[in-house]
Amino acid sequence: MMEGQAAMAAADYKTALTKFETALVADPNNLAALVAIGRAHEALGDRSAGIAYYRRVLTIEPDNRAALAAESLAYLADFGLVKARQNLDLLKRLCGTEGCEEVDEVRAAIAAFEAENPEDSPADQGKS
């Protein structure tokens, strides 16, 4: 996983994907590897494959914060503001009063999306 993360940081997405897939073969229950594979697919330009991996994780563990955050960002890229907000609400409940980095990440992405697309975020939609 660490080698895959280093490859992602270096924008070597094909190598990252291979490393994450190797981690998954070694441990088929590695949900972090599934999320990482999804992110690598997205980085390679295949958002639908990325979303499929996030959904796979959420089928196994519906409250997986990493998958919820990654799915939120993927949906925002496809103008899926409503789904991103729903995931943010769930993340807020999961993280409680302490908060967590996933809430911060999704909240910032939603704010950036709304700033860039004001017509897609009317005030009556209940901003998060």
Side-chain angles (χ1 to χ4, degrees):
M1 286 294 295
M2 289 175 28
E3 290 176 6
Q5 292 166 346
M8 284 291 284
D12 184 359
Y13 305 124
K14 287 184 180 183
T15 297
L17 181 59
T18 300
K19 297 295 183 182
F20 295 140
E21 287 171 339
T22 299
L24 188 61
V25 168
D27 178 6
N29 297 316
N30 188 337
L31 299 182
L34 288 171
V35 172
I37 290 169
R39 288 185 187 253
H41 276 292
E42 278 197 84
L44 288 167
D46 191 351
R47 186 173 300 115
S48 62
I51 290 172
Y53 276 94
Y54 309 143
R55 288 186 180 159
R56 184 172 163 190
V57 171
L58 293 169
T59 298
I60 297 165
E61 186 179 288
D63 293 342
N64 186 288
R65 295 184 340 213
L68 285 166
E71 182 187 56
S72 298
L73 301 180
Y75 276 114
L76 279 176
D78 281 336
F79 291 85
L81 183 59
V82 171
K83 179 63 175 165
R85 284 184 177 156
Q86 290 170 347
N87 282 0
L88 177 59
D89 289 342
L90 177 54
L91 283 166
K92 286 177 182 176
R93 287 193 302 275
L94 293 172
C95 295
T97 57
E98 296 85 36
C100 59
E101 67 185 63
E102 294 86 0
V103 166
D104 296 340
E105 178 182 28
V106 174
R107 183 182 286 137
I110 288 172
F113 177 89
E114 290 175 333
E116 293 172 13
N117 304 283
E119 69 280 357
D120 291 316
S121 50
D124 63 345
Q125 282 187 353
K127 291 186 180 186
S128 296

